[in-house]
């Protein structure tokens, strides 16, 4: 019996330590695909969002902030953060929806139209552009997010990517349309 418990303890330790830690994921297509998987594992494949924001800190790693619900018709959403692999709810929000509209019309899901894999690709693209055009050796991702308009017009959704030089205060901001086309870059 002790041997079985010992084996179960070892297996549990291995499984727990091998979990994907979103905080350590790189700012790449694969890394952001893994972050999306972690979000879906926590909140389900059919969760609805109004906000996803990923802030990168050199000391902590990725800090993921989301506003999410599993049931849009409840008009209740939770604001959650994940840091160092641990999800914590910060607030509960009740939303107002205009008469005759559904709450889901003002939210999005992570699927083929809007996803973190695309955001990861745009991060890689932005980094290469900074290296080529601004001669930055190692630009550091500071923030990546999905902007979904408050009026629910999915065609106006944007991916936002911010970089900072390794030793500098300038923020380079990239704004991409839903289809991945660069709309604007400024600093």
């Amino acid at each position: 019996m002790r041997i079985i418990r010992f084996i179960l303890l070892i297996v549990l330790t291995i499984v727990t330590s091998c979990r994907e830690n979103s905080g350590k994921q790189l700012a790449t297509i694969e890394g952001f695909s893994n972050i999306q998987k972690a979000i879906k594992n926590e909140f389900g494949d059919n969760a609805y969002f109004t906000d996803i924001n990923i802030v990168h800190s050199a000391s902590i790693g990725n800090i993921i902030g989301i506003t999410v619900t599993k049931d849009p018709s409840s008009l209740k959403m939770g604001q959650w953060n994940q840091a160092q692999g641990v999800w914590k709810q910060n607030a509960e929000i009740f939303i107002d929806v205009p008469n005759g509209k559904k709450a889901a019309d003002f939210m999005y899901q992570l699927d083929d139209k809007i996803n973190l894999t695309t955001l990861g690709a745009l991060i890689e693209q932005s980094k290469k552009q900074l290296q080529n055009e601004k001669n930055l050796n190692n630009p550091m991702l500071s923030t990546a997010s999905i902007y979904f308009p408050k009026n629910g017009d999915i065609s106006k959704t944007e991916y936002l990517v911010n970089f900072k030089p390794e030793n500098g205060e300038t923020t380079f901001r990239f704004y991409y349309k839903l289809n991945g086309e660069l709309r604007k870059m400024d600093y």
Side-chain angles (χ1 to χ4, degrees):
M1 193 64 162
R2 283 185 174 178
I3 293 174
I4 292 173
R5 284 185 193 164
F6 181 71
I7 291 172
L8 286 174
L9 181 62
I10 289 173
V11 170
L12 182 62
T13 303
I14 290 170
V15 169
T16 303
S17 65
C18 291
R19 276 189 331 202
E20 289 293 335
N21 182 346
S22 302
K24 297 185 186 278
Q25 293 298 321
L26 299 177
T28 62
I29 294 170
E30 182 182 354
F32 272 58
S33 177
N34 288 334
I35 291 171
Q36 180 166 309
K37 287 176 191 170
I39 290 171
K40 286 186 169 200
N41 283 341
E42 185 69 24
F43 300 100
D45 290 336
N46 297 317
Y48 287 80
F49 303 88
T50 57
D51 180 49
I52 296 178
N53 188 38
I54 300 161
V55 176
H56 183 77
S57 164
S59 59
I60 296 174
N62 298 320
I63 302 166
I64 303 166
I66 63 174
T67 305
V68 62
T69 186
K70 293 180 183 179
D71 179 14
S73 64
S74 73
L75 302 179
K76 182 171 69 173
M77 300 189 81
Q79 283 185 330
W80 291 78
N81 282 334
Q82 184 207 61
Q84 299 178 328
V86 177
W87 286 102
K88 180 181 176 191
Q89 186 172 1
N90 299 323
E92 193 168 80
I93 301 169
F94 292 90
I95 59 173
D96 289 325
V97 178
N99 287 336
K101 298 284 186 178
K102 295 179 183 175
D105 295 339
F106 300 92
M107 302 174 188
Y108 62 93
Q109 293 182 291
L110 291 174
D111 56 22
D112 293 334
K113 292 180 193 169
I114 300 174
N115 61 71
L116 296 183
T117 304
T118 299
L119 183 56
L122 296 173
I123 291 167
E124 289 182 17
Q125 179 180 319
S126 301
K127 185 174 184 175
K128 284 179 188 171
Q129 184 175 341
L130 286 175
Q131 289 169 327
N132 294 336
E133 292 179 12
K134 303 295 181 187
N135 295 320
L136 295 177
N137 292 333
N138 192 21
M140 306 299 290
L141 178 70
S142 60
T143 308
S145 59
I146 298 171
Y147 168 76
F148 190 75
K150 294 188 185 313
N151 68 3
D153 182 356
I154 194 168
S155 69
K156 302 294 184 200
T157 302
E158 288 190 321
Y159 294 101
L160 309 174
V161 177
N162 294 338
F163 275 94
K164 288 190 176 194
E166 200 169 19
N167 297 317
E169 292 300 318
T170 303
T171 299
F172 294 90
R173 292 178 289 278
F174 294 83
Y175 303 84
Y176 292 94
K177 294 179 181 180
L178 183 60
N179 67 2
E181 178 186 331
L182 179 63
R183 183 179 68 78
K184 178 171 95 171
M185 182 266 211
D186 64 27
Y187 54 96

